Amino acid sequence: MSNLFQTYGRWEIEPHTAKGCWLTDVNGKKYLDFTSGIGVCNLGHRPEYVQEAIQKQLNEYWHVSNLFTNTKQEQAAQKLAQASGMDRVFFANSGAEANEGAIKLARKATGRTKIITFENSFHGRTFATMSATGQDKIKTGYGPMLETFVYVPYNDIEAVKNVMGEDVAAIMLEIVQGEGGIHVGDKEFFKGIEELCKQFGALLVVDEIQTGVGRTGKPYAFQHFDLQPDIVTSAKGLGSGLPIGAVIGKEHLGMFFGPGSHGSTFGGNPISIAAANATMELIFKEEFLEAVQEKGNELINKLKDSLKPFSFVEDVRGLGLMIGIQCNQNVALLLSELRNNGLILLQAGEKVIRLLPPLTVTSNEMDEAIEILITTLNKINMKNTVKA
């Protein structure tokens, strides 16, 4: 009997070691890991440069509290501000905490409480972020949600206009809906939202928890669309596996997060900050990000070509190395068989296979993943899997 709450549908894989794109379990079996810890290990498992930075900090001090001056926090904040084109940073421990902070900041700065979010969105599992999430399954059993969130269809600017008004504090969105099925927004949709926010004095909040820190081939995904958000949230890939999140905001919001207005005991922990500084030094280089875009295009094109014979597959879509394969039935069985065959992928909803390989993935590793995928599809007995 386990003493853990059974909140996760765990796989029958217990890791022993991991390096780069590869994970080895306690039985010695090797897996090609295209999950990156759900978009966390953007530099692959245990990148040496980051590991060295963590070890150095471990030998200095682990925790003192945020009452002390911390030059390394300032350095990390400067890197985030420069990469995002923004100004102020608050460090938290996770994506949900970052989104909580963004919601609080938006409400305090505007004096309003209504926030527009989108159907099939995912913003976290705390009460406010669960309320912000546009998926009922996340909320089942928890009673009434916070009543100040309004949900509208994604990529539908007319639906946003119908609920927009001077009582709206913010519009909160994902550039690519990750948990919702890897849906990429349209540029016209995003620009329309930006214009509505300016017109009504609302803030534009972009949730980059999964899309940020190079995942799409830009420091942050909103930069593909020439947007100017007021608040951006970041987490997952920021610390290469160590817990860290960040609220990144424009200068005009600084006065609303003064002493005592918000806080976190472990936010910006020295060990996590060391990991974040080292991670950003590598990922935010222009040549690294260009390579991510090239790899993303390569992987999407190879998947489209390789999966053409399979009627089981309806679409391949994504941005950078955040890719979804839309299928016409539940993919749980397929993913289980893929793990048996040495490839670890994720779901994004019942019918979407989600690929989040490390940004350091090679062409050979992409080819190997596709080969395992095709071999598995050819062997398993799924209805209408192969076209006649």
Side-chain angles (χ1 to χ4, degrees), residues 295-314:
K295 290 175 187 178
N297 290 334
E298 178 185 350
L299 183 53
I300 288 174
N301 289 332
K302 285 181 174 179
L303 284 166
K304 286 181 176 180
D305 288 341
S306 300
L307 294 171
K308 278 181 182 177
F310 298 91
S311 60
F312 173 70
V313 175
E314 296 182 341

Side-chain angles (χ1 to χ4, degrees), residues 161-232:
K161 289 178 181 178
N162 289 338
V163 296
M164 194 65 186
E166 294 183 356
D167 59 340
V168 174
I171 299 177
M172 186 175 188
L173 58 83
E174 300 159 279
I175 299 298
V176 183
Q177 289 190 325
E179 304 295 328
I182 314 297
H183 297 287
V184 184
D186 297 328
K187 184 172 183 177
E188 294 78 11
F189 171 66
F190 293 139
K191 297 304 287 186
I193 285 175
E194 187 177 51
E195 291 169 7
L196 285 172
C197 285
K198 289 177 181 177
Q199 179 183 345
F200 288 94
L203 300 181
L204 175 56
V205 180
V206 179
D207 176 344
E208 294 257 13
I209 303 306
Q210 191 169 151
T211 52
V213 197
R215 174 53 57 184
T216 67
K218 295 281 188 182
Y220 288 92
F222 74 83
Q223 293 164 326
H224 288 281
F225 300 93
D226 193 31
L227 292 177
Q228 296 294 323
D230 298 284
I231 301 171
V232 173

Side-chain angles (χ1 to χ4, degrees), residues 77 81 84-89 248-252:
S84 64
M86 304 185 80
D87 306 291
R88 297 294 185 105
V89 177
I248 314 168
K250 288 291 190 181
E251 180 63 32
H252 68 91

